[in-house]
């Protein structure tokens, strides 16, 4: 599992730092799994770390360990993060505390986020700190942050996202405003801050009460820069440790380290995110990193429709593309080709029916067209090879009857779909064959569409025959048909051939 560790060129300090981070992750959930211990043993072997190296690990803070690992190349740091992820996944149960710590380590190490993420260690943790709060701190005024917090939409987005993840956002100006507003309704002897003042007398440490007496002026003069100094003093975090002028900070773990005298001292580790720019995006990136996977699935309403479609029994209506080879391609079913018998004639017949829509073409129109093409006005010219197809089409337009337009339309479509030339002697014979064998072509077409198992509403694609009107029709919207041309793919109605139809 750790074969690549030896190829990263880690020095003794790097290996000790990696092991420090790994051990912190292992104990983050307050449970030790047998597989984790076995894995740590494999990591120790891969790092070739002696027992003395393990002892030195207890003198190294998480901040020092990560600072050491940051001196590695981008590729090496990415591999270190991957190694740590394999470690925490070994017990198949990543605790929320474990995920929080790993996410902080990941943000601090990966090249994509290390410039604005940093883990700092409190060297003198003499005050409690809640892990469910994120605090905004700044050394000097950062206007971009205040623009975001003054924007109701962005402020609400940020506050809600943090709340959903279980965090309260401590933004000092807002906290002060809330304190003043919350107690303004309690008037004790003309003092709107009376309740807050009395509460502080009970809960604040005894000593200098001048701040409590002058509470209003103290609140009005309190700035985030002042509060930053309060936090850094109580937690023992120097400005040079963070390196950001404006940042948010969240506690990620308690820790205990040995000092030079071998004494065990309490420390705490914090993740700091530079929010002098892209404040909302960076905080949301942190929240997404710590989000635990949700393995529950809804199975109702639209979810069920989606799952049924994704399942083996799923069916779907698909648009049809008539490609450059005149094949019918189902675009929404993995570009599957529909196979027909007597393909050119069947496809021409299908496109012809689409032109007539739900009204269809009745039997009398078909019969009249056949009679004309096999009659004395056309048949002798076909037999002698003297038929001029262009002249015939002009004659049909001149006649202007339903059956004349039917012949004209079918000739136009068949000429485009087949490889037959209008001037060939057999061309008119093919047209007659289509008109005469329409029932067989109907069966060929329907067999092709019905052969596509996962095509939904096949009846819409199939050729129908109405007993009441004695008509053939296709009840499919032409908007589902597309044609590939030399200029690109166009809707059927925009196809140059289709526009010629009468």
């Amino acid at each position: 599992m750790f074969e690549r560790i030896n190829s990263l060129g880690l020095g003794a300090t790097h290996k000790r730092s990696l092991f420090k981070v790994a051990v912190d992750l292992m104990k983050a959930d307050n449970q030790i799994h047998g597989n984790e211990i076995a894995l740590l043993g494999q990591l120790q072997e891969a790092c070739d770390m002696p027992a003395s190296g393990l002892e030195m690990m207890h003198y190294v803070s998480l901040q020092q360990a990560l600072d050491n690992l940051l001196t590695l190349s981008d590729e090496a740091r990415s591999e270190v993060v991957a190694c740590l992820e394999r470690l925490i996944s070994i017990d198949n149960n990543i605790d929320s505390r474990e995920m929080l710590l790993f996410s902080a380590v990941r943000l601090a190490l990966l090249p994509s986020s290390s410039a604005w993420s940093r883990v700092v260690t409190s060297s003198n943790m003499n005050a409690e700190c809640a892990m469910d709060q994120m605090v905004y701190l700044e050394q000097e005024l950062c206007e971009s942050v205040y623009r975001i917090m003054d924007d109701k939409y962005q402020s609400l987005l940020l506050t809600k996202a943090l709340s959903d993840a279980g965090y309260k956002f401590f933004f000092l100006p807002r906290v002060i405003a809330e304190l003043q507003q919350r107690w303004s309704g309690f008037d004790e002897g003309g003092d709107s801050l009376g309740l807050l003042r009395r509460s502080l007398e009970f809960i604040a440490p005894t000593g200098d009460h001048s701040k409590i007496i002058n509470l209003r002026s103290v609140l009005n003069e309190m700035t985030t820069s002042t509060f930053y100094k309060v936090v850094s003093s109580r937690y023992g975090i120097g400005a040079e440790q963070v390196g950001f002028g404006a940042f948010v900070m969240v506690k990620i773990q308690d820790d205990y380290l040995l000092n030079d005298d071998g004494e065990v001292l309490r420390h705490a580790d914090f993740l700091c995110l530079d929010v002098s720019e892209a404040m909302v995006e960076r905080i949301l990136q942190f929240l997404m990193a710590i989000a635990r996977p949700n393995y529950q699935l809804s199975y109702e309403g639209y979810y069920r429709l989606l799952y049924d479609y994704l399942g083996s029994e799923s069916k779907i209506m698909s648009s049809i593309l008539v490609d450059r080879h005149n094949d019918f391609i189902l675009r929404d079913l993995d570009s599957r080709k529909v196979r027909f018998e007597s393909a050119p004639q069947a496809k021409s017949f299908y496109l012809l029916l689409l032109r007539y829509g739900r009204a269809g073409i009745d039997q009398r129109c078909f019969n009249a067209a056949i009679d004309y093409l096999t009659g004395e006005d056309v048949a002798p010219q076909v037999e002698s090879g003297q038929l001029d197809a262009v002249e015939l089409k002009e004659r049909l337009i001149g006649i202007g009857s339903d059956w004349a337009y039917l012949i004209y339309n079918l000739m136009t479509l068949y000429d485009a779909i087949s490889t037959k030339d209008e001037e060939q002697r057999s061309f008119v014979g093919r047209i007659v064959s289509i008109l005469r064998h329409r029932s067989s072509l109907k069966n060929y077409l329907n067999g092709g569409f019905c052969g596509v198992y996962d095509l939904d509403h096949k009846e819409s694609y199939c050729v129908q025959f109405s007993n009441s009107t004695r008509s053939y029709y296709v009840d499919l919207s032409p908007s589902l048909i597309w044609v590939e041309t030399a200029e690109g793919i166009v809707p059927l109605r925009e196809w140059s051939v289709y526009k010629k139809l009468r």
Side-chain angles (χ1 to χ4, degrees):
M1 182 174 284
F2 305 113
E3 295 81 5
R4 291 202 60 189
I5 292 297
N6 286 327
S7 64
L8 297 180
L10 302 184
T13 303
H14 294 136
K15 293 177 180 179
R16 188 161 55 245
S17 298
L18 171 58
F19 215 81
K20 158 67 180 176
V21 178
V23 170
D24 278 11
L25 285 169
M26 291 299 100
K27 63 184 183 182
D29 59 357
N30 294 326
Q31 296 185 38
I32 304 298
H33 194 279
N35 290 343
E36 294 175 339
I37 296 299
L39 218 55
L40 284 175
Q42 294 178 30
L43 180 61
Q44 179 183 3
E45 184 178 348
C47 291
D48 193 23
M49 184 181 297
S52 58
L54 294 180
E55 180 64 25
M56 289 298 297
M57 176 187 66
H58 299 294
Y59 292 85
V60 179
S61 69
L62 182 60
Q63 178 180 347
Q64 290 170 331
L66 293 176
D67 286 348
N68 288 333
L69 293 173
L70 279 170
T71 62
L72 295 170
S73 67
D74 290 355
E75 180 184 359
R77 279 188 278 155
S78 297
E79 180 58 34
V80 164
V81 170
C83 166
L84 295 171
E85 187 169 13
R86 290 193 290 270
L87 277 169
I88 66 170
S89 303
I90 191 64
D91 60 357
N92 297 316
N93 182 25
I94 303 177
D95 181 82
S96 58
R97 292 162 294 184
E98 203 171 15
M99 180 59 76
L100 171 63
L101 182 57
F102 172 70
S103 299
V105 169
R106 191 174 186 273
L107 288 170
L109 284 182
L110 286 183
S112 59
S113 54
S114 59
W116 50 269
S117 307
R118 184 167 175 77
V119 170
V120 299
T121 298
S122 162
S123 58
N124 183 26
M125 193 65 184
N126 58 8
E128 293 301 319
C129 177
M131 292 188 70
D132 64 349
Q133 293 181 10
M134 175 180 282
V135 62
Y136 170 71
L137 300 170
E138 61 182 8
Q139 297 185 56
E140 56 186 28
L141 183 66
C142 182
E143 293 183 357
S144 64
V145 170
Y146 289 86
R147 282 197 297 270
I148 290 173
M149 296 307 296
D150 289 339
D151 184 302
K152 290 184 179 180
Y153 173 76
Q154 292 196 79
S155 176
L156 179 62
L157 170 67
L158 190 60
T159 304
K160 185 178 186 310
L162 284 164
S163 177
D164 290 345
Y167 287 98
K168 299 172 185 149
F169 190 40
F170 190 98
F171 183 67
L172 185 69
R174 182 171 293 176
V175 171
I176 292 175
E178 289 175 353
L179 287 175
Q180 292 176 327
Q181 183 179 11
R182 182 169 298 175
W183 309 119
S184 61
F186 182 86
D187 192 338
E188 187 182 70
D191 182 4
S192 60
L193 291 175
L195 181 59
L196 177 59
R197 194 187 315 278
R198 289 296 305 275
S199 300
L200 289 173
E201 289 175 349
F202 287 116
I203 64 178
T206 57
D208 184 6
H209 289 265
S210 61
K211 291 182 181 177
I212 297 179
I213 296 171
N214 301 299
L215 185 58
R216 186 180 303 280
S217 61
V218 172
L219 282 174
N220 289 334
E221 294 172 3
M222 188 72 175
T223 66
T224 47
S225 298
T226 303
F227 190 66
Y228 167 76
K229 294 174 183 175
V230 172
V231 173
S232 61
S233 174
R234 294 297 298 272
Y235 292 167
I237 299 175
E240 71 285 347
Q241 281 183 267
V242 181
F244 305 141
F247 61 98
V248 292
M249 185 171 78
V250 61
K251 183 180 175 184
I252 55 176
Q253 74 165 351
D254 285 306
D255 198 11
Y256 296 89
L257 299 174
L258 295 175
N259 63 11
D260 293 340
D261 297 325
E263 299 172 323
V264 178
L265 299 180
R266 182 189 173 196
H267 290 66
D269 295 305
F270 296 84
L271 173 65
C272 299
L273 306 178
D274 180 5
V275 293
S276 58
E277 58 181 74
M279 176 185 184
V280 175
E281 291 82 353
R282 289 174 180 179
I283 292 178
L284 291 180
Q285 190 166 335
F286 160 70
L287 295 179
M288 286 189 290
I290 66 171
R292 300 186 68 187
N294 184 356
Y295 296 113
Q296 292 184 334
L297 295 175
S298 175
Y299 189 62
E300 63 178 349
Y302 294 109
Y303 291 94
R304 182 167 182 172
L305 289 179
L306 174 62
Y307 303 151
D308 288 347
Y309 166 67
L310 296 175
S312 59
E313 296 298 317
S314 62
K315 296 182 179 181
I316 188 175
M317 289 191 72
S318 174
S319 60
I320 298 174
L321 172 65
V322 183
D323 68 9
R324 298 290 294 275
H325 304 291
N326 298 315
D327 287 324
F328 280 28
I329 305 299
L330 298 175
R331 303 178 76 186
D332 304 302
L333 285 173
D334 302 322
S335 297
R336 199 173 313 167
K337 182 167 71 173
V338 185
R339 301 185 182 279
F340 305 112
E341 290 187 53
S342 191
Q345 292 94 326
K347 293 170 186 174
S348 301
F349 182 55
Y350 194 78
L351 294 175
L352 178 72
L353 291 175
L354 285 173
R355 166 65 180 79
Y356 289 84
R358 184 66 177 79
I361 308 171
D362 66 34
Q363 293 274 44
R364 290 171 298 176
C365 191
F366 279 115
N367 293 335
I370 295 171
D371 289 344
Y372 179 75
L373 292 177
T374 57
E376 59 184 17
D377 289 340
V378 178
Q381 292 179 306
V382 174
E383 292 299 325
S384 64
Q386 296 178 351
L387 178 68
D388 186 325
V390 175
E391 180 186 340
L392 175 59
K393 291 168 81 171
E394 290 177 352
R395 196 190 317 166
L396 292 167
I397 293 174
I399 295 173
S401 65
D402 289 344
W403 60 261
Y405 285 148
L406 172 62
I407 298 170
Y408 171 86
N409 291 339
L410 185 54
M411 288 179 67
T412 303
L413 287 168
Y414 188 68
D415 181 48
I417 288 291
S418 74
T419 58
K420 307 299 182 183
D421 191 325
E422 282 184 336
E423 301 303 323
Q424 291 182 1
R425 294 180 62 181
S426 62
F427 186 82
V428 172
R430 298 278 183 176
I431 299 299
V432 172
S433 177
I434 294 172
L435 296 170
R436 182 170 284 154
H437 297 103
R438 52 192 180 273
S439 179
S440 297
L441 294 176
K442 166 182 175 289
N443 293 333
Y444 295 156
L445 287 162
N446 293 353
F449 286 116
C450 290
V452 183
Y453 172 76
D454 42 1
L455 180 64
D456 205 7
H457 296 293
K458 294 185 179 69
E459 66 278 2
S460 296
Y461 293 85
C462 290
V463 178
Q464 309 289 335
F465 181 76
S466 170
N467 288 319
S468 60
T469 62
R470 308 301 292 174
S471 299
Y472 288 88
Y473 69 94
V474 174
D475 194 19
L476 186 71
S477 171
S479 64
L480 286 173
I481 312 296
W482 298 75
V483 180
E484 185 178 12
T485 69
E487 292 73 32
I489 295 175
V490 299
L492 177 64
R493 290 191 177 100
E494 298 301 319
W495 183 30
S496 59
V497 174
Y498 201 75
K499 288 181 175 182
K500 295 178 183 177
L501 303 185
R502 299 284 175 160

